[in-house]
Amino acid sequence: MGDRKQARDTEFQSFVIGRWPRLMGTAFLLTGEQHAAEDLVQSTLEKVYVAWRRVGSADDPEAYVRRVMINAHARKHRRRLREFLAPKDDSGLVREVADTGDRIAQADDRNALLKALAQLPARQREAVVLRYWEDLTETQTAQAMGCSVGAVKSNGAKGIAKLRAIPGLADMVTSGGGRK
């Protein structure tokens, strides 16, 4: 029995090491804050570890974990009347710079996008992040969010429309300055 537990632990550890950056990226986009993202990923992995035998044998363990993470974030959001997603100052935001072009402008563009995402309601933010940042299909996004494909389309369209309505973002995208 000890060998099976050790093998399961090793498999879980390999999963976490391989998926940590992507899970953190998704969590950061959902929460808008580095520490909240770390907490969300940690609590998700705690829940998943307990059920790793079932999760690890699923068709797509990463999708399963992502669904647990989105559900945990949604539960937390429902408990609060108002969620403050972006810190008062920019100290908690992750600074990433794109590989090509004007690096300072790209970092500014990324910062503007992160702040704009933080202004979206939770379900719209989830749909936009999963569809356009994580590049999931509508069906995969619906499964991750626990809703219908129609709800994904509706929330995604509303979220994109709100992002397009922000003057600085619209200019950035139409001028070709923005990048993921």
Side-chain angles (χ1 to χ4, degrees):
M1 179 149 172
D3 290 340
R4 278 190 279 178
K5 183 182 181 330
Q6 186 174 8
R8 192 169 60 238
D9 287 351
T10 302
E11 181 185 348
F12 178 76
Q13 183 179 16
S14 296
F15 174 86
V16 170
I17 290 169
R19 303 308 192 297
W20 181 264
R22 188 169 177 129
L23 291 171
M24 276 298 299
T26 301
F28 179 77
L29 292 170
L30 291 172
T31 64
E33 187 178 62
Q34 185 69 28
H35 296 296
E38 290 170 358
D39 289 346
L40 179 59
V41 173
Q42 285 289 341
S43 64
T44 298
L45 292 175
E46 286 174 12
K47 291 175 186 167
V48 169
Y49 176 75
V50 173
W52 185 249
R53 186 181 321 186
R54 183 173 19 114
V55 175
S57 63
D59 290 338
D60 189 354
E62 186 172 358
Y64 191 107
V65 172
R66 190 181 310 112
R67 173 70 186 267
V68 171
M69 184 167 57
I70 289 168
N71 287 345
H73 179 262
R75 273 191 303 279
K76 183 176 181 183
H77 183 270
R78 281 192 297 264
R79 282 194 301 259
R80 291 189 191 178
L81 293 176
R82 180 167 171 93
E83 182 177 40
F84 295 100
L85 297 170
K88 298 292 183 207
D89 62 346
D90 292 345
S91 64
L93 296 177
V94 173
R95 301 285 183 205
E96 293 183 37
V97 179
D99 293 334
T100 60
D102 181 357
R103 293 175 188 259
I104 294 173
Q106 288 173 348
D108 289 343
D109 291 349
R110 185 177 185 87
N111 190 31
L113 177 60
L114 291 173
K115 285 183 178 183
L117 279 171
Q119 295 174 17
L120 294 178
R123 294 301 277 181
Q124 290 176 14
R125 185 173 57 253
E126 289 170 4
V128 169
V129 166
L130 294 173
R131 279 288 291 133
Y132 301 104
W133 197 286
E134 291 292 324
D135 202 26
L136 298 181
T137 66
E138 289 170 342
T139 304
Q140 290 170 324
T141 302
Q143 290 171 344
M145 291 175 63
C147 64
S148 69
V149 171
V152 168
K153 289 180 182 181
S154 174
N155 282 308
K158 288 176 185 174
I160 292 295
K162 285 182 181 178
L163 292 175
R164 286 183 178 149
I166 298 172
L169 279 184
D171 295 341
M172 178 177 62
V173 172
T174 56
S175 69
R179 251 190 97 168
K180 177 165 99 169

